[in-house]
Amino acid sequence: MKVLFLNGPNLNLLGTREPQIYGRTTLADIEASVRDKAGSLKVEVEFRQSNSESELVGWIQRARECFSVIVINAAAYTHTSVAIRDSIAACGLPAIEIHLTNTHAREAFRRESFLTPVCKGVIAGFGASSYLLALDAAITVKAA
Ligand code: DQA
């Protein structure tokens, strides 16, 4: 089983980006902890980040070739992107939406997600641990 972790805009800045909101953990730190856990669960993972909506859509479209589950933190595109929503719906793979922060406890515009209706579920608000929880969720979704 191979899980594709996709990360959207500005997540490359984790560690220095608004640390009072997103913490000091970098995306590389998160990837390392996910890889560590995945190794012990005998799951393969791939991590990608892009600031480009078009690149994210392309990765989702082609995910079927190599992956069985997508975990996606689409960042700001969560609240704006019909294109990412449609690509998840079209790709035929189960997807899990994740966020570092509890988007429902923040600004009103973050309460709407275009992705939730086409995802199996959402994990939000647990900081870097949202990614580790998503690995468990991916295994659960694959087994179902
Ligand atoms: C985020 C929440 C989004 O609202 C925001 O635009 C992000 C990060 C999160 O992980 O908490 O960039 O997806």
Side-chain angles (χ1 to χ4, degrees):
M1 167 179 176
K2 197 163 176 182
V3 182
L4 176 61
F5 281 78
L6 293 181
N7 294 282
N10 301 306
L11 294 174
N12 53 315
L13 300 179
L14 284 179
T16 55
R17 171 195 184 195
E18 298 181 278
Q20 71 285 6
I21 296 174
Y22 295 110
R24 297 252 173 226
T25 309
T26 66
L27 195 58
D29 294 334
I30 293 174
E31 176 174 353
S33 63
V34 169
R35 283 197 178 282
D36 204 38
K37 176 169 170 159
S40 61
L41 294 170
K42 309 258 179 288
V43 173
E44 284 183 84
V45 292
E46 181 153 329
F47 251 72
R48 297 181 194 165
Q49 187 278 331
S50 180
N51 295 324
S52 152
E53 185 177 25
S54 139
E55 189 164 36
L56 291 162
V57 167
W59 286 338
I60 295 165
Q61 286 182 358
R62 293 189 297 277
R64 234 191 138 86
E65 294 161 19
C66 301
F67 302 96
S68 39
V69 182
I70 296 172
V71 172
I72 182 162
N73 183 350
Y77 290 142
T78 306
H79 319 295
T80 62
S81 180
V82 177
I84 291 177
R85 181 217 139 97
D86 285 354
S87 61
I88 292 171
C91 81
L93 291 181
I96 298 159
E97 175 182 347
I98 65 167
H99 301 284
L100 294 150
T101 60
N102 177 356
T103 48
H104 293 273
R106 300 182 60 193
E107 301 94 329
F109 68 85
R110 294 186 205 275
R111 282 184 215 137
E112 187 178 4
S113 165
F114 282 79
L115 310 190
T116 305
V118 294
C119 287
K120 289 283 180 192
V122 184
I123 298 166
F126 301 100
S129 296
S130 290
Y131 286 76
L132 297 171
L133 293 167
L135 198 54
D136 292 326
I139 292 165
T140 304
V141 156
K142 174 72 170 44

